[in-house]
Amino acid sequence: MTGYASAQRELEQGVLAVELRAVNHRFLDATLRLPEEFRALEGAIREKLAGRLSRGKVECRVNFNARAGGQSSLRLNNALVAELLRLSDELREHQPGAGELKTGELLRWPGVIESDALPIEQLQATALELLDTALDDFLASRGREGEKLADILRERASSMEDLVKGVQPLIPQIVADYQARLTQRLVDALGAGADDERIRQEVVVFAQKVDIQEEIDRLLTHITELRRILKAGGSAGKRLDFLMQELNREANTLGSKSVSSETSKVSMELKVLIEQMREQVQNIE
C-alpha cells in the first residue's frame, strides 16, 4: 500500500502539480492538502480516490506556483466600499454606540480587494486531469509491487504446504503411539487389563481429540484458496487478511492438540510463516 506518484503541468499562469503519497492502512483514509483556490474540488478528489483505491492512508497534495509577474496590481472595489460605509453609517444611526468600520476591517471584507482573477475553473479542471494521471502512475507502481508481494506469498504458501504434507503421513503412527501411552497410564491408574472395556472407551475418546487430520485438511484447503486469490488478482487485501486469520486459527489448534514433538514443531513453523505472510498482506490492496 505504500507508494508515491506526481503529475504537473506548466500553464500560462504558473505551474500546477498534484502529488499522491500512501502508507499502509487497513482502510482508505484520505487527507487532502489544497490551496484555497482548489477547496471546491475536495468532494470530486475524494470521489476519484475512493473510486480507484480501497485501502491505504493517502495524502493528496495540490500545489500551484503562480508565475512571477503573472498577476496585475490589486485594486479596490469602490462600489462595495461605498456600500459598506453607507451601511455602517446607517447602523450608527440606530445604535449610536457602534464604532466606525476600520480600514483593516474593510480591506479584509470579501470582495473589497480585486485583481485580474485567475481562471479558477480551468485550473480546477486541469488539477483533476493531473490527479487522474497521478493515479494511473500510482496504481501501475503498486501493481508491480503487488506482483512481487504475490510471489513472496506463493513461496511462503509452498513452504507451508511442504510442512503440512510432511507431517500428514505421520498422523496414524502419532495417534497409535499416543493410544499406547494412554492405555498404559490407565492400566497403571486403574489396575485393570489393557482389554478392559472402560480403558478402550477412554482411549478411543482421547485419541479422537488429538487426531489432527481435520486441521491438516483445512490448512491445505486454505493454502489452495490463497493461491486461487493470488491468481485471480484484483483487490484481494481484505480476503487475504481474513484467510491469514483462518490459517493462524488452524495452526494454533494443531499446536494445542499436539501430542508429539513433530506436530508441535510444525505448528510453530507454520505460525512463523503465517505471521510473515500477514505482514505482507497489509501491503496489498
Side-chain angles (χ1 to χ4, degrees):
M1 295 301 299
T2 58
Y4 173 82
S6 66
Q8 72 173 38
R9 188 176 300 174
E10 289 195 14
L11 306 171
E12 181 181 349
Q13 300 81 11
V15 178
L16 181 61
V18 174
E19 291 184 356
L20 291 174
R21 302 174 186 269
V23 295
N24 301 335
H25 198 63
R26 291 187 65 188
F27 308 102
L28 180 62
D29 181 10
T31 301
L32 308 186
R33 311 290 186 190
L34 308 176
E36 194 60 38
E37 299 88 347
F38 296 87
R39 288 291 176 191
L41 292 181
E42 181 169 346
I45 291 175
R46 290 189 182 277
E47 184 176 346
K48 282 182 177 290
L49 294 176
R52 303 188 67 180
L53 306 175
S54 60
R55 301 177 74 183
K57 194 174 184 65
V58 182
E59 178 182 300
C60 176
R61 184 182 296 271
V62 176
N63 293 309
F64 177 66
N65 294 319
R67 199 176 301 281
Q71 295 195 39
S72 63
S73 58
L74 303 177
R75 58 181 179 274
L76 285 176
N77 184 336
N78 292 316
L80 180 57
V81 170
E83 181 65 14
L84 290 171
L85 291 174
R86 184 189 67 78
L87 290 172
S88 177
D89 292 339
E90 184 178 333
L91 177 62
R92 288 200 306 278
E93 290 179 4
H94 296 285
Q95 278 189 301
E100 295 183 358
L101 274 176
K102 297 180 180 180
T103 301
E105 294 172 336
L106 276 171
L107 291 176
R108 287 194 297 271
W109 195 273
V112 165
I113 297 179
E114 295 181 331
S115 67
D116 291 337
L118 290 168
I120 296 300
E121 291 186 0
Q122 178 184 344
L123 290 175
Q124 290 177 347
T126 302
L128 292 178
E129 292 175 9
L130 292 175
L131 175 60
D132 285 332
T133 300
L135 277 169
D136 289 340
D137 292 343
F138 185 77
L139 292 172
S141 173
R142 281 190 10 192
R144 292 189 294 271
E145 180 185 357
E147 280 302 316
K148 294 178 182 178
L149 293 177
D151 289 340
I152 293 173
L153 293 179
R154 292 188 186 99
E155 179 185 341
R156 299 291 189 276
S158 294
S159 298
M160 290 178 61
E161 188 175 48
D162 290 342
L163 286 169
V164 173
K165 288 186 174 180
V167 79
Q168 191 172 25
L170 305 178
I171 294 175
Q173 187 60 50
I174 290 172
V175 173
D177 290 344
Y178 176 74
Q179 286 177 318
R181 294 196 305 270
L182 182 58
T183 298
Q184 187 58 51
R185 290 174 188 171
L186 290 173
V187 167
D188 293 341
L190 299 176
D195 58 349
D196 187 280
E197 184 63 24
R198 293 174 302 164
I199 291 179
R200 286 202 299 267
Q201 290 178 354
E202 290 293 329
V203 168
V204 169
V205 169
F206 280 98
Q208 289 175 345
K209 291 182 179 180
V210 300
D211 190 341
I212 58 172
Q213 186 59 55
E214 287 188 17
E215 285 69 31
I216 294 295
D217 291 341
R218 283 196 289 267
L219 282 166
L220 292 173
T221 299
H222 293 330
I223 292 170
T224 300
E225 177 64 9
L226 170 64
R227 289 180 172 136
R228 188 197 66 78
I229 292 173
L230 293 175
K231 183 178 181 180
S235 181
K238 292 182 179 178
R239 286 179 292 163
L240 290 173
D241 190 47
F242 173 76
L243 198 54
M244 293 304 106
Q245 297 176 39
E246 295 301 303
L247 284 166
N248 193 59
R249 180 180 293 110
E250 300 303 334
N252 281 329
T253 305
L254 184 66
S256 66
K257 294 174 68 172
S258 175
V259 291
S260 73
S261 60
E262 292 90 345
T263 51
S264 295
K265 181 180 178 182
V266 167
S267 172
M268 290 301 300
E269 292 180 357
L270 284 174
K271 286 192 281 189
V272 170
L273 289 169
I274 292 167
E275 184 57 33
Q276 292 173 350
M277 295 170 73
R278 191 200 298 271
E279 292 176 0
Q280 297 297 342
V281 164
Q282 301 306 312
N283 299 322
I284 297 177
E285 182 174 351

